[in-house]
Amino acid sequence: MKQQTKISEAVVRRLPLYLQALNELSRGEVQTVSSQALGRKLDLNPAQIRKDLAYFGEFGRKGIGYDVSYLISKIRHILKLDRGINVALVGAGNLGQALCNYNRYSRDNMKIVAVFDDHPDKIGMQINTMRVQPMEELKATVEALQIRIGIITVPSAAAQKVADQLADAGIEGILNFAPAILKVPPSVRVHHADFTTELLSLAYYLEKDADHDDDKVVD
């Protein structure tokens, strides 16, 4: 895999989209796909797809396209999904439980292996095969299970404290579902999955359409 230049975050974020589309093609027993066909499926510019993949190597053949199975294996390797990555989740409420239930049936090698909460009513509760553990056990569990990623599904007021605890435990990456801006050490990568922000941005476009309707002349 060639990686002579720094890969932008936008490129990395598009790779899972390519993988998702390729997996769908594979399930349909499609063996090869062109960048044009992949672009139509994802509503992306084919040139952008070719450029993104070229950062990591030469995977396609001119006039033929990409071997679907081969490209799936390569993207999985690039995203480190060809090896096991253990994940800890903090916040055993409705969202946390839903994520654990979804992850149980995921085919990816990224697995939630431990769940934590500091609420007495949640500690000891069983979610699938996991027992909700107290936060006091976080650091030892992260070390014992070699957990590298943490998911935060606690209220916004508690999110920073949880982020601090995850960073102190040695977590390298955090997926934050709380509507809060987190401050973490440079060694920890944070991605936000804020439903509120996404809904607000959608509302802007709905309001914009309504404004346009108001501008229409009615006879």
Side-chain angles (χ1 to χ4, degrees):
M1 179 178 71
K2 70 173 185 179
Q3 234 176 319
Q4 298 173 345
T5 58
K6 184 177 180 181
I7 309 301
S8 74
E9 183 174 340
V11 172
V12 176
R13 286 184 176 274
R14 282 192 291 268
L15 290 178
L17 297 179
Y18 302 155
L19 183 59
Q20 186 178 39
L22 289 164
N23 281 329
E24 186 177 325
L25 290 170
S26 180
R27 288 192 292 271
E29 298 185 353
V30 176
Q31 295 182 347
T32 59
V33 64
S34 66
S35 58
Q36 287 79 12
L38 201 54
R40 286 193 298 270
K41 190 173 184 63
L42 294 169
D43 196 22
L44 290 173
N45 189 321
Q48 181 68 68
I49 295 174
R50 292 193 297 270
K51 182 179 179 182
D52 288 350
L53 296 175
Y55 281 116
F56 303 96
E58 300 296 330
F59 304 130
R61 288 181 289 175
K62 191 172 182 180
I64 298 176
Y66 300 100
D67 181 287
V68 171
S69 296
Y70 177 74
L71 190 54
I72 286 173
S73 68
K74 287 299 181 181
I75 294 178
R76 286 181 60 83
H77 178 72
I78 292 165
L79 293 173
K80 299 180 176 66
L81 296 176
D82 56 349
R83 65 206 79 171
I85 299 177
N86 288 341
V87 180
L89 183 142
V90 181
N94 291 334
L95 177 57
Q97 292 180 47
L99 290 172
C100 289
N101 289 328
Y102 171 80
N103 185 254
R104 181 184 183 186
Y105 299 103
S106 173
R107 296 180 180 179
D108 289 327
N109 290 339
M110 191 176 293
K111 297 291 185 184
I112 298 173
V113 296
V115 186
F116 299 86
D117 207 297
D118 65 357
H119 196 288
D121 292 343
K122 297 285 197 313
I123 296 171
M125 183 173 66
Q126 199 76 14
I127 303 178
N128 298 326
T129 59
M130 295 175 290
R131 176 185 65 85
V132 178
Q133 301 174 239
M135 291 300 292
E136 289 78 12
E137 296 178 6
L138 176 66
K139 193 166 187 175
T141 303
V142 166
E143 183 177 348
L145 299 182
Q146 297 182 321
I147 296 171
R148 303 180 66 182
I149 291 177
I151 300 176
I152 296 177
T153 57
V154 300
S156 57
Q160 183 60 59
K161 180 181 178 181
V162 170
D164 293 341
Q165 291 171 300
L166 288 170
D168 183 61
I171 289 293
E172 300 171 50
I174 294 174
L175 178 60
N176 175 39
F177 281 88
I181 304 300
L182 304 179
K183 294 182 179 180
V184 296
S187 58
V188 179
R189 176 85 178 184
V190 177
H191 283 193
H192 296 276
D194 184 358
F195 297 139
T196 303
T197 300
E198 295 300 326
L199 284 171
L200 289 175
S201 64
L202 280 175
Y204 166 79
Y205 291 102
L206 296 176
E207 188 63 34
K208 186 176 180 181
D209 290 342
D211 288 344
H212 286 170
D213 290 341
D214 291 342
D215 291 338
K216 292 179 180 177
V217 177
V218 178
D219 293 333

